[in-house]
C-alpha cells in the first residue's frame, strides 16, 4: 500500500475559442493598415512626380545650355572677325591701338561665355545621368529641340486636374481619415467583447 509504483494518467484535450464581437477593434485596425498603405503609396507617387519634374527641368537645362553654346560660339566667331578687322585697320593706321584692345577684350569675354555655356551643358548632362541612374560617363544624347507647346486649357480645369492627380492632396485626405480611425480605435476600448470557448476531453 505504501509502495504503489508508477501510475499513468494520460489526458487528451481540445480547446477552441472564437471571438464573436470585439467592439470594432479589428475593423478599425484593418482600415488603419489600409490607410497606411495608401499614405506610403502617396509618398512613392510624390517622389516619382518630383523625379519626373526634375528630369524634365534638367533636360530643358541641357537644351538651353546647348542653345547658349551655339549663340556663344557664333559670338566668338563674329568677334574674332572684328579683331582681325581691327588689327588690319590698326596696321594701316586707320584705327587706334585702343580699338584693337577693345575688340580683343570683347573676344575674351565671348570666349568666357562659351566656356560657361559648355560647362553648364556638361553639368546639366551629369545631373540628368544622375537622375536617370546612369554612370557619370555613360553616353547620353537627347533627341529634340527642347521646344514644347502647352495646349489651351482653362485655369479652372488645371486646378481640377491638379487636385485630382496630386498625391499630396490625396495623402492629406487619407491622413484625416486615418486620424478619425485612430480615434475610433481608441473608443473601442470602452466597448465589451464577446467570445465563445469550447473544450473536449
Amino acid at each position: 500500500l505504501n509502495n504503489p509504483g508508477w501510475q499513468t494518467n494520460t489526458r487528451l484535450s481540445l480547446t477552441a475559442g472564437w471571438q464573436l464581437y470585439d467592439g470594432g477593434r479589428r475593423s478599425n485596425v484593418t482600415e488603419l493598415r489600409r490607410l497606411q498603405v495608401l499614405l506610403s503609396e502617396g509618398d512613392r507617387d510624390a517622389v516619382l512626380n518630383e523625379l519626373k519634374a526634375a528630369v524634365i527641368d534638367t533636360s530643358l537645362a541641357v537644351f538651353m545650355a546647348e542653345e547658349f553654346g551655339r549663340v556663344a560660339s557664333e559670338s566668338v566667331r563674329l568677334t574674332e572677325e572684328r579683331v582681325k578687322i581691327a588689327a588690319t585697320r590698326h596696321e594701316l593706321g586707320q584705327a587706334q591701338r585702343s580699338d584693337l584692345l577693345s575688340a580683343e577684350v570683347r573676344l575674351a569675354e565671348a570666349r568666357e561665355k562659351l566656356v560657361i555655356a559648355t560647362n553648364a551643358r556638361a553639368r546639366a548632362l551629369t545631373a540628368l545621368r544622375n537622375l536617370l541612374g546612369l554612370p557619370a560617363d555613360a553616353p547620353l544624347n537627347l533627341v529634340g529641340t527642347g521646344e514644347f507647346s502647352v495646349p489651351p486649357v482653362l485655369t479652372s480645369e488645371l486646378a481640377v486636374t491638379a487636385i485630382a492627380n496630386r498625391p499630396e492632396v490625396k495623402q492629406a485626405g487619407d491622413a484625416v481619415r486615418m486620424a478619425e480611425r485612430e480615434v475610433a480605435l481608441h473608443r473601442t476600448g470602452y466597448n465589451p467583447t464577446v467570445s465563445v470557448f469550447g473544450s473536449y476531453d
Side-chain angles (χ1 to χ4, degrees), residues 99-176:
D99 295 334
L100 176 60
L101 292 176
S102 177
E104 290 175 347
V105 167
R106 285 195 293 273
L107 177 59
E109 291 173 349
R111 287 176 175 164
E112 180 184 4
K113 290 179 181 178
L114 178 59
V115 170
I116 290 173
T118 303
N119 288 339
R121 180 182 181 276
R123 285 197 310 271
L125 281 173
T126 301
L128 186 58
R129 288 187 188 98
N130 186 28
L131 289 170
L132 297 175
L134 298 174
D137 57 349
L140 182 63
N141 295 320
L142 299 183
V143 178
T145 61
E147 297 180 0
F148 64 94
S149 60
V150 178
V153 290
L154 298 176
T155 305
S156 58
E157 293 177 359
L158 290 176
V160 171
T161 303
I163 291 174
N165 293 310
R166 289 291 293 185
E168 292 86 353
V169 176
K170 295 178 181 178
Q171 278 184 300
D174 292 336
V176 170

Side-chain angles (χ1 to χ4, degrees), residues 72-82 107:
S73 179
E74 183 65 17
S75 177
V76 167
R77 188 186 68 78
L78 293 175
T79 310
E80 286 175 344
E81 293 294 327
R82 288 178 186 157
L107 177 59

Side-chain angles (χ1 to χ4, degrees), residues 18-37:
W18 183 25
Q19 192 168 46
L20 299 177
Y21 176 71
D22 65 352
R25 290 183 186 87
R26 283 178 293 183
S27 60
N28 282 313
V29 169
T30 302
E31 183 63 15
L32 275 174
R33 298 301 175 258
R34 189 186 71 81
L35 291 172
Q36 286 174 348
V37 170

Side-chain angles (χ1 to χ4, degrees), residues 52-66:
K52 291 175 186 176
V55 168
I56 292 171
D57 289 342
T58 310
S59 300
L60 293 176
V62 172
F63 287 120
M64 187 166 52
E66 289 176 350

